[in-house]
Amino acid sequence: GEVSGQSCVGRYSCKNAIASSITDSSCIGEQACRSLVSYYGETPNVSSGSCVGYRACYYAGFYGVLGPSISASCKGDDSCHYAGYSGSVGDLVDSCDSDSACKDMGFYGSVGNVMNGCNGDGTCENVAVGGDQSVSAIVDCCNAPPDGICAGVASNDGLVAADPTCKAGVNLADTLALIEEESESDTSPFTEKQLCYGKTAVENTVASLSKGHSTAAVRYGVNKAFDDLGCDDKSDSEICEILQL
């Protein structure tokens, strides 16, 4: 793929790396981005100064699924070291910045998008540790202090216990997954228009949360999704129940 913007600088950097693109001074340091292949997903796009440091993003896909976006993430020695690690990890955006942050992240399980999360030494090491576990998303949380926060969490409950501010991102990620399920159902109580508008509102709310916008702004987005989905007369819907939490 494309390599531009003074990227892939350092001894063995990008050696054998398979990526759609590496741009904007990314993959800087010895063995940085050494093998970004994602065998069971899209090949990654690495941008905005990502994977900077000794062995940063070392085996990023590691025979699982990663991304496809790594943006402004994995800055520090051994950061995002085995990010997919034979499981699956979503996009990494403004995340996993500092030494050993998200070092072996997927570790056989699955982790959704990580957005403005896991910044600080040792944060989010070995998430979904060692088994068929999953974490829906890490959005605007698990950021130091203290260093090492959210290391070893293996479930949504464990994540929220480690950092209660993760709950909003988990709920929104679960809502998006349920909207996708409803879109494929022939018996959904939601109309196609409601699901389309509701999905857009939730996606915008996730973006707002990841950028650190005010609680009022995030609540506005949640309320808009609730209204767009017509939840007033669907009180028994799991989607609507989550949006009221």
Side-chain angles (χ1 to χ4, degrees):
E2 173 193 2
V3 176
S4 64
Q6 297 181 323
S7 299
C8 295
V9 177
R11 187 169 178 255
Y12 300 132
S13 64
C14 302
K15 183 178 181 180
N16 302 322
I18 298 175
S20 292
S21 63
I22 300 173
T23 61
D24 309 322
S25 299
S26 297
C27 304
I28 307 295
E30 184 174 344
Q31 299 190 60
C33 298
R34 186 165 175 178
S35 300
L36 283 170
V37 66
S38 187
Y39 285 146
Y40 304 111
E42 298 179 57
T43 52
N45 294 292
V46 187
S47 64
S48 301
S50 294
C51 304
V52 175
Y54 174 66
R55 296 199 303 193
C57 302
Y58 186 40
Y59 287 149
F62 196 34
Y63 310 125
V65 176
L66 174 66
S69 177
I70 305 174
S71 176
S73 297
C74 308
K75 301 174 185 178
D77 292 348
D78 283 323
S79 57
C80 305
H81 194 152
Y82 296 141
Y85 198 14
S86 300
S88 66
V89 176
D91 292 337
L92 303 177
V93 181
D94 294 311
S95 297
C96 305
D97 290 342
S98 204
D99 292 350
S100 296
C102 307
K103 186 174 180 179
D104 298 328
M105 183 167 235
F107 204 126
Y108 308 137
S110 66
V111 182
N113 293 337
V114 185
M115 305 172 73
N116 190 32
C118 306
N119 294 310
D121 288 358
T123 53
C124 301
E125 263 194 271
N126 297 335
V127 173
V129 62
D132 188 19
Q133 305 287 334
S134 66
V135 172
S136 298
I138 302 175
V139 183
D140 196 34
C141 63
C142 293
N143 294 311
D147 288 340
I149 188 171
C150 298
V153 301
S155 66
N156 287 336
D157 288 344
L159 180 71
V160 174
D163 185 349
T165 64
C166 290
K167 185 174 182 179
V170 166
N171 286 347
L172 290 168
D174 288 346
T175 300
L176 283 173
L178 289 169
I179 287 174
E180 289 293 338
E181 290 180 13
E182 291 289 350
S183 298
E184 298 172 1
S185 171
D186 294 331
T187 59
S188 174
F190 301 96
T191 67
E192 184 177 339
K193 181 178 179 180
Q194 286 173 330
L195 291 169
C196 179
Y197 284 16
K199 179 181 179 181
T200 298
V202 174
E203 289 174 337
N204 289 340
T205 305
V206 171
S208 181
L209 180 64
S210 72
K211 294 173 183 175
H213 291 176
S214 68
T215 301
V218 173
R219 174 47 57 186
Y220 170 82
V222 170
N223 289 341
K224 187 175 190 313
F226 189 91
D227 292 341
D228 287 348
L229 288 161
C231 282
D232 280 334
D233 60 1
K234 300 180 183 67
S235 58
D236 59 345
S237 163
E238 187 176 358
I239 292 174
C240 298
E241 288 178 358
I242 292 174
L243 289 173
Q244 292 183 89
L245 294 177

